[in-house]
Amino acid sequence: MSERPVVTRIAPSPTGSMHIGTARTALFNWLYAKHTGGQFLLRIEDTDRERSTEAAVKVIFDGLDWLGLKPDAEPVFQFARADRHREVVADMLARGGAYRCYMTPEELEIERETARAEGRVIRSPWRDRTDAGNYDEGQPYVVRLKSPLEGETVIADEVKGQVTFQNKTLDDLILLRSDGSPTYNLAVVVDDHDMGITHVIRGDDHLNNAARQTLIYQAMGWEVPVWAHLPLIHGPDGTKLSKRHGAQAVSEFDDMGYLPEAMRNYLAKLGWGHGDDEIFSDEQAISWFDVKDVVGAPARLDWDKLNHLNNHYIRQAEPARLAKLVGGIHKSRDFPLHDGDEAIIERTVPLVRDGAKTMLELADATVFALKRRPLELPEKAKGLLTDETRARLGRLRERLDGQDDWAVPALEAALRGFAESEGVGMGKFGPALRGVLSGGSPAPDLAGALVSLGKPESLGRLDDALSQSA
């Protein structure tokens, strides 16, 4: 194969969702294009007109956009190229690489049963007839590829290695249906050729198609691309990924609170890796990635590893970005937000994110700071507010009122100092203080909760609790 700039592509069909397997295929194509200084393109295979709605196409665009995998050119829509597909078939007929087949459905069924009984592929009697061009034009026909009857078709696959197909096992596949519509294998080859695709990186469920598509390339005298067929993604139990394993679509992972950079890192690890590196940046992945290094065995979805990575990226992200995402989650849950709440969330996020595996958990951890006064204390918190504890919290409230440095280290020191001055351990007032500040919702340690709320809100919540009758 001549040296050409690498051009890869992702070619999903609009089916209503973008599967995680498609997302990984897109990522590997994107990484390889970036690694080689090439191009990453997008084609929408929208020939199924019933399913290819505008909404279904948007799902693909949204999925790639969320993942941060931006194509290097405007997308190509396969359906709009049907005339070009038919043009190539006309050229193939003129070259003698294809033929018109006038078999009726009844004749085809007889041939199918005969071929099955003889253990061979279907062969059309029209393959070598010379009178097809003069046949009644009103008679419906399909156009078939004139596949070689002998020899081998060899696929030099970057992942699978050399895969050999005996040509006698490959039938004369249909290129154009009787209504003139192009078939999948024809359209894919023509589009990949015209788009200048040099490397076809896709799921290994297409490996058999590679043999058929190679024959179409050869029939047209076109350069065959480099093939790389990726193993499928399995569930944790080693079986094919399905609904029982949980999320399958990219949008579901978004809804479950995973960050796109975590998904890119995790998907890159599904079938490829760089030594023992578990966490790496996009720049590192681009520098290291080579499709030849993809392993041939199926990868397994591991929720624990994904959660670990997501937690890492949550801890690394800018608080302002996380605050916007958390705000969006609260709105989606119809949780009432008010002016200034985003600032509260942004202040709270760094104090609660260490334990959050997903953005949903992070959102849950910010609820305590967004509650409106006066808080309804849970029964457990009310039970802790004995007369002795109320008096002690009243003295703590005065101590905090005079506290100018409202940062975690200073507040930790202030709480310890107060406990010492009272001659008690933190356990004598800490649980009650936590209930007063959080209203029973999950919250960080006491100093973190005070910082999240801010001084006025913290003192206000103490005042509300102390003013309630025992």
Side-chain angles (χ1 to χ4, degrees):
M1 184 174 184
S2 63
E3 287 296 323
R4 292 187 287 166
V6 167
V7 182
T8 68
R9 52 76 164 172
I10 182 72
S13 300
T15 59
S17 67
M18 176 181 278
H19 191 273
I20 185 176
T22 304
R24 185 192 61 168
T25 299
L27 175 66
F28 282 8
N29 276 277
W30 180 82
L31 284 173
Y32 192 62
K34 299 303 176 190
H35 174 77
T36 57
Q39 281 191 307
F40 167 64
L41 305 182
L42 169 64
R43 181 171 70 243
I44 304 296
E45 298 194 335
D46 57 344
T47 53
D48 185 339
R49 302 312 292 166
E50 288 187 8
R51 303 179 74 183
S52 300
T53 62
E54 186 174 327
V57 173
K58 186 176 183 297
V59 166
I60 295 171
F61 292 160
D62 289 348
L64 290 175
D65 185 57
W66 181 75
L67 284 166
L69 306 180
K70 181 176 175 58
D72 295 311
E74 290 298 309
V76 171
F77 290 86
Q78 190 168 73
F79 179 74
R81 292 176 42 79
D83 287 344
R84 168 61 177 157
H85 303 148
R86 285 187 281 268
E87 176 187 296
V88 169
V89 171
D91 191 356
M92 211 179 301
L93 284 167
R95 291 165 173 260
Y99 63 94
R100 295 180 179 85
C101 171
Y102 291 89
M103 291 178 73
T104 65
E106 293 76 18
E107 291 171 336
L108 179 59
E109 183 57 33
I110 292 172
E111 166 59 15
R112 183 176 287 118
E113 291 180 2
T114 302
R116 188 182 299 117
E118 296 177 358
R120 59 174 176 81
V121 297
I122 296 171
R123 295 297 179 194
S124 169
W126 289 93
R127 176 185 169 97
D128 298 312
R129 286 180 63 163
T130 58
D131 59 343
N134 301 321
Y135 207 73
D136 179 4
E137 292 186 3
Q139 181 74 17
Y141 65 88
V142 299
V143 177
R144 291 181 179 271
L145 177 71
K146 186 177 283 188
S147 301
L149 300 176
E150 299 176 342
E152 299 173 338
T153 296
V154 179
I155 304 300
D157 193 275
E158 296 286 84
V159 177
K160 300 292 184 182
Q162 183 169 299
V163 183
T164 301
F165 295 84
Q166 299 299 319
N167 288 334
K168 65 182 181 181
T169 67
L170 301 173
D171 63 351
D172 292 351
L173 73 150
I174 295 174
L175 302 173
L176 286 184
R177 302 181 184 91
S178 59
D179 63 359
S181 62
T183 58
Y184 169 79
N185 281 302
L186 169 74
V188 166
V189 170
V190 176
D191 292 346
D192 281 345
H193 171 266
D194 289 0
M195 292 170 69
I197 303 302
T198 62
H199 291 69
V200 174
I201 305 170
R202 60 189 179 184
D204 65 6
D205 50 333
H206 287 285
L207 182 59
N208 286 339
N209 286 332
R212 296 166 174 268
Q213 291 167 11
T214 293
L215 295 179
I216 298 175
Y217 277 103
Q218 293 172 346
M220 288 301 297
W222 291 342
E223 190 167 0
V224 180
V226 175
W227 305 107
H229 289 88
L230 311 174
L232 300 179
I233 299 174
H234 285 180
D237 59 359
T239 61
K240 186 176 179 181
L241 194 63
S242 65
K243 289 182 179 179
R244 73 174 185 278
H245 295 119
Q248 298 180 87
V250 169
S251 59
E252 292 178 287
F253 286 90
D254 183 12
D255 293 341
M256 290 169 65
Y258 293 97
L259 294 176
E261 57 267 42
M263 287 302 298
R264 289 195 299 273
N265 192 154
Y266 181 70
L267 289 175
K269 290 285 296 176
L270 284 180
W272 172 83
H274 184 264
D276 294 328
D277 294 292
E278 291 290 334
I279 298 174
F280 41 78
S281 66
D282 290 336
E283 291 73 23
Q284 288 173 312
I286 289 169
S287 173
W288 298 334
F289 185 84
D290 193 322
V291 71
K292 294 177 182 178
D293 297 329
V294 175
V295 298
R300 292 193 184 194
L301 187 63
D302 187 323
W303 290 101
D304 289 338
K305 288 185 178 180
L306 175 56
N307 288 333
H308 172 72
L309 280 173
N310 204 50
N311 172 256
H312 167 80
Y313 285 103
I314 287 174
R315 288 185 283 114
Q316 297 297 312
E318 288 293 326
R321 176 192 170 205
L322 295 177
K324 289 185 182 299
L325 293 172
V326 166
I329 292 170
H330 285 315
K331 289 175 183 176
S332 72
R333 295 170 167 177
D334 295 325
F335 184 93
L337 292 179
H338 303 80
D339 290 343
D341 279 358
E342 189 167 303
I344 295 173
I345 296 171
E346 186 173 342
R347 191 168 65 225
T348 304
V349 157
L351 300 163
V352 298
R353 62 180 171 182
D354 282 2
K357 296 187 292 293
T358 69
M359 289 302 300
L360 302 186
E361 291 183 4
L362 185 60
D364 291 340
T366 66
V367 167
F368 83 97
L370 300 171
K371 290 185 173 183
R372 318 313 290 186
R373 293 177 50 207
L375 273 61
E376 178 63 35
L377 298 182
E379 290 303 317
K380 183 178 180 180
K382 289 179 180 178
L384 294 172
L385 289 175
T386 63
D387 290 343
E388 179 184 355
T389 303
R390 284 173 182 274
R392 185 165 284 129
L393 289 183
R395 293 190 292 274
L396 174 61
R397 192 253 184 243
E398 295 308 313
R399 176 76 67 94
L400 293 175
D401 192 21
Q403 179 73 25
D404 293 326
D405 188 349
W406 206 261
V408 168
L411 287 168
E412 286 177 339
L415 290 169
R416 286 195 303 270
F418 175 76
E420 290 173 6
S421 69
E422 292 283 312
V424 297
M426 293 284 287
K428 285 294 185 180
F429 64 91
L433 177 59
R434 173 181 291 278
V436 167
L437 295 176
S438 70
S441 294
D445 57 48
L446 293 174
L450 290 166
V451 170
S452 298
L453 295 171
K455 185 174 181 178
E457 179 71 15
S458 297
L459 297 180
R461 291 191 182 192
L462 270 166
D463 289 341
D464 290 345
L466 295 174
S467 66
Q468 294 180 19
S469 59

